[in-house]
Amino acid sequence: MRVIRTVGELREWSRAARKAGQSVGLVPTMGALHAGHISLVRAAKVSCDVVAASIFVNPTQFGPNEDFARYPRTFDEDCALLEAEGVDVVFAPDAEEIYPEGAATFVEVTGLSERLDGKSRPGHFRGVATVVAKLFIAAEPDRAFFGQKDAAQVAVLRRTVADLRLPVELVVCPIVREPDGLALSSRNRYLSTEERRQARVLSRALHAVETQIASGERSARALIDVAVAEFSREPQVGIDYVTAVDWATLLPVETVASGTLFAVAAFVGTTRLIDNFVVA
Ligand code: PAF
């Protein structure tokens, strides 16, 4: 497995692969890899001839009071995992490679970027869209793989790819969960034992909503109330949002239908966790 540090080298590698008739897959990550990331790598391996994973803790997607400084950085373990999965290239640039001195160009997806996580994390999706566009321009992948857990991120990136007419297919992979339902996240490692127990309320709330939908409830208001009632059983957990939205626009719906995104975000201690499902 080759570790590449510069955009130029990554582009050269990708172009050589394409010239040799190989399709290129990209799995963008911030490292601190877990089984959710590995599922993206496996999906990439199945549908692409060669696969690059990027590891870059992107400073522009963190707010001033967020966890950029303490975000887990586990580069050696990450590389060992990626190598075991047969990844061809790890792209691990430094900040200067992605944001050269004086960098002033950003990708701003207006509207969408202010909804869901973008509402409570101003500037977050501007940072995400910018870094992912830069990764796409550098790696020129045929396909790029993202987790459904970050469903609002997926909506923002779909819009970015459509608006910039980037020649890349976004592949969205299912949420990977712990046996008790907690969605995997690099931030789960911040949780104390007690917080880890409390964190189960996110998937429990979603499960309660799914059960109501299965028995015929379609009112978004009623379903949100069901989720909020489940959250109230863990009063230490602070709801950020509970919402039913159109997945493309991230605007609230009144009636849920097939394809509606039902999403939650909550603070467990100081750790902000998210989870969702898409109505079948
Ligand atoms: O989902 C993530 O890990 C990040 O937001 C991404 C897509 C790698 C951009 O930094």
Side-chain angles (χ1 to χ4, degrees):
M1 189 177 72
R2 193 169 147 200
V3 177
I4 290 181
R5 301 278 180 188
T6 66
V7 166
E9 260 182 286
L10 181 65
R11 185 171 294 138
E12 223 171 80
W13 167 80
S14 166
R15 286 189 179 174
R18 295 277 281 280
K19 206 165 167 198
Q22 295 175 309
S23 57
V24 177
L26 176 69
V27 181
T29 84
M30 298 205 299
L33 302 183
H34 50 64
H37 297 109
I38 299 307
S39 75
L40 305 182
V41 168
R42 290 185 180 164
K45 289 285 293 176
V46 167
S47 71
C48 302
D49 297 314
V50 290
V51 173
S54 60
I55 298 181
F56 179 63
V57 185
N58 173 35
T60 63
Q61 70 186 76
F62 291 81
N65 299 318
E66 293 185 348
D67 55 343
F68 174 68
R70 72 175 185 124
Y71 196 83
R73 286 157 173 88
T74 55
F75 186 70
D76 292 342
E77 290 98 309
D78 293 347
C79 284
L81 286 171
L82 294 172
E83 182 144 40
E85 293 298 324
V87 163
D88 299 280
V89 158
V90 172
F91 178 52
D94 63 18
E96 170 75 16
E97 183 66 14
I98 298 297
Y99 299 104
E101 176 81 39
T105 305
F106 289 88
V107 176
E108 184 116 29
V109 183
T110 56
L112 279 181
S113 290
E114 284 94 58
R115 297 172 195 148
L116 276 69
D117 311 288
K119 189 169 179 188
S120 32
R121 303 184 66 190
H124 171 65
F125 286 131
R126 179 187 195 245
V128 170
T130 300
V131 77
V132 172
K134 284 171 182 264
L135 290 170
F136 287 174
I137 291 167
E140 299 179 342
D142 295 281
R143 281 181 278 284
F145 298 78
F146 297 90
Q148 187 194 306
K149 185 174 72 70
D150 298 301
Q153 168 171 283
V154 166
V156 168
L157 294 177
R158 282 177 170 152
R159 193 70 256 169
T160 307
V161 163
D163 290 354
L164 300 179
R165 297 202 187 284
L166 296 173
V168 55
E169 180 193 342
L170 297 193
V171 181
V172 181
C173 300
I175 298 174
V176 179
R177 298 180 179 282
E178 299 282 6
D180 67 1
L182 179 66
L184 295 193
S185 162
S186 302
R187 291 188 168 95
N188 289 351
R189 61 184 86 191
Y190 296 153
L191 302 171
S192 68
T193 309
E194 170 56 12
E195 288 167 349
R196 171 65 187 78
R197 188 197 62 70
Q198 294 168 2
R200 292 172 50 198
V201 71
L202 278 84
S203 58
R204 274 209 321 267
L206 292 176
H207 184 68
V209 171
E210 279 184 292
T211 305
Q212 283 303 303
I213 293 175
S215 53
E217 183 61 79
R218 290 291 179 274
S219 153
R221 185 66 263 162
L223 293 166
I224 289 167
D225 288 347
V226 166
V228 171
E230 189 60 41
F231 271 104
S232 69
R233 298 174 57 197
E234 282 301 347
Q236 308 272 56
V237 173
I239 295 176
D240 181 6
Y241 63 70
V242 174
T243 192
V245 296
D246 177 296
W247 197 1
T249 63
L250 301 181
L251 288 171
V253 296
E254 281 183 12
T255 305
V256 306
S258 174
T260 297
L261 174 70
F262 198 99
V264 298
F267 287 93
V268 182
T270 56
T271 305
R272 186 175 175 282
L273 299 178
I274 58 177
D275 200 350
N276 67 78
F277 70 91
V278 176
V279 178

